[in-house]
Amino acid sequence: DRDDLTGRSLVPAMDVVENENNVEIRVDLPGMDPEHVNVEVEGDTLTISGEMGDTIEREGERYHYRERSMGSFKRTLRLPDYVNAESCEASFKNGVLNLTLPKREESKPRRIQIQAGNNAS
């Protein structure tokens, strides 16, 4: 009986990746229903929380072995000031929560055109 895995705080795996236009956050939430996941932004803080696992024990069932974790989780990140959190997009596919936070236009790299000139001295 592995009841020591129930009712504890979980820490789902998370990747934070930056490219030229966005900061992307990917969180592994296997078996979760997206309706049970909360994503909130307050100021420069992003919080992802929810409840994982099948917490219903049915009458007449007795676990012989339990490895599937269950419990609540909460991940909090401080967002860089160059992202536009108000334009955050979220999707959920194959047990992975994907958040895309676009960079502010003024923070994106710009190419500066060099003007060729004939400066005769």
Side-chain angles (χ1 to χ4, degrees):
D1 197 23
R2 299 282 311 259
D3 284 329
D4 57 322
L5 296 177
T6 62
R8 63 183 179 150
S9 183
L10 304 173
V11 182
M14 177 172 57
D15 293 336
V16 179
V17 181
E18 182 175 343
N19 60 39
E20 187 176 323
N21 296 311
N22 305 303
V23 171
E24 296 181 9
I25 301 168
R26 301 176 194 126
V27 184
D28 286 347
L29 300 171
M32 284 206 64
D33 192 332
E35 286 87 35
H36 298 129
V37 179
N38 299 312
V39 178
E40 298 176 351
V41 175
E42 184 175 339
D44 65 351
T45 303
L46 171 73
T47 302
I48 304 165
S49 62
E51 188 83 21
M52 294 181 78
D54 181 6
T55 58
I56 301 170
E57 291 195 24
R58 294 167 189 88
E59 188 176 332
E61 289 184 342
R62 187 175 66 139
Y63 283 90
H64 290 277
Y65 198 73
R66 180 185 284 181
E67 286 187 343
R68 295 173 59 216
S69 298
M70 61 182 78
S72 62
F73 72 90
K74 184 175 184 178
R75 300 294 311 257
T76 302
L77 293 170
R78 184 166 180 226
L79 298 172
D81 58 359
Y82 55 83
V83 298
N84 184 355
E86 292 181 16
S87 296
C88 179
E89 293 182 6
S91 64
F92 196 91
K93 184 177 180 183
N94 296 329
V96 178
L97 172 66
N98 293 287
L99 302 174
T100 302
L101 297 118
K103 290 183 178 180
R104 297 182 190 283
E105 286 300 319
E106 61 272 15
S107 70
K108 293 180 183 177
R110 292 182 319 227
R111 183 173 175 90
I112 306 299
Q113 185 68 34
I114 300 172
Q115 300 296 321
N118 293 331
N119 289 341
S121 299

